[in-house]
Amino acid sequence: MLDDFLIRAALAGIGLSLATGPLGAFVVWRRMAYFGDATAHAAILGVALAVASGLPVFLGTVLVAMGVALAVSGLSWRGQAMDTVLGVLAHGALAFGLVAISLVPGARVDLQALLFGDILTVGRADLAVIWGGSLAVGLLLVWRWQALLTATLNDELAASAGIDPARERLGLTLALALVVAVAIKVVGALLIAALLIIPAAAARRFTTTPEAMALAAIGCGALSSIGGLQASLRFDTPAGPSIIAAAVVIYLISVAYRR
Amino acid sequence: MSLIETHGMTVRYEAVPVLSNVDFAIEKGEIVTVVGPNGSGKSTLIKALLGVLKPTAGTVRQADGLRIGYVPQKLHIDPTLPMTVMRFLSLPHRHTEAERIEMLARVGVTGVGARQMADLSGGQFQRVLLARALLAKPDILILDEPTQGLDQPGIAGFYRLIEDVRAETGVAVLLVSHDLHVVMSASDRVICLNGHICCEGAPNVVSAAPEYRALFGLGTGGTLALYQHAHDHGHDHDHDHVHHHPPALDEAQ
């Protein structure tokens, strides 16, 4: 069954949704959309550095995404003008990443795949990485769920119960970096944040508890993957953007939906 | 030991001291109220006691295994976060459905369990916050301006509830508040804060203290009592509080 590229692609999308659903919910609740963008764009720089230094691409991507995410979250609680700083970082990481890639001698980096993903060429090894990374993130979120939710509501509320809000924030940051490294193959650096935010936003309308919203976001992400792949096949459109387009359609339906 | 105590605690933001040399302690079953004008460091004191802020100097110590029930001044729940009352009550510790329903009844908001937090009225919201704090079976309740946005009967009702809970459970209560008249009658001890502890003691003692009147202009002298203070503190943070304050009220009187 795994011999069919379309089935591998669908499994990649579904596996990734297991992580992007609940993580995306936190990104939405904590207003970290720009933060997600900055981390995702940093992955391009990571790829460039990995290629230049001969490190495995996955490792380079994780490390650089993590570095940028930590730097940004260090800024975030010093209360600077966040959207400006994040805007600089997000686009700066993108620009420097693209420049760095062009400078790597003899690099055969497929820029198109880096920016928009290459889900149709996902192999068995890629599948293992995607499912492994997604399950790791999913388990981390399940393990810390109560503490993360409390810290998302209010730092003092968390601290009064012995939860360190800074530590929970760090956990989310690391999870985000891991998801970015895993997702770049599927939807590409430019659209990772979209895969985090849009399914969660669509799920909001249908749900009354945080858990329901996270689960619905997983469902919406998986549905977008399958729908986007179908559309990509039928209309011969690029797979990554088609998946995000499908998610947007689901979001629009959710907006029109009245309870 | 005390439930929470600080010794010589100083907290600075950047280089500005917000709290200077605070010696504070609260004992089992006590109701302590902290009063002080805006910017006097009340919220900073609470953050330091909870451990969210690390003091620049001095120490903060909580009793081992201390269970804190915290009611924040304001809880903003992002509109993108769906949250029923019942779900909220199980944060961060899970409680059975029966426990939660019973607690909602105890604080006087029976039947709101299925509602979204965002749809509650101000008074209901505060009571749900209190219910969540009480479900942890706390040794101490810390309430930061818990009656903001409530009308007079709402405020009185809320404090009556706090007193009842203390009588039932023996929980200590640390209260930060503006509602001077209502609050002080229920307190064992009042601390008047303005960047440092200006004065402290039983409510009637504090309300007669010149430091207190200097801050609030209350009591027999009315508005004229403003600035009857023997030596003007200059209650702002433009200069260091190096001059000696009368620490004990006997001295001040």
Side-chain angles (χ1 to χ4, degrees), chain B residues 202-218:
Chain B
N204 57 334
V205 177
V206 166
S207 59
E211 292 89 345
Y212 174 79
R213 292 209 205 149
L215 283 176
F216 296 103
L218 296 172

Side-chain angles (χ1 to χ4, degrees), chain A residues 19 121 248:
Chain A
T121 65
V248 172

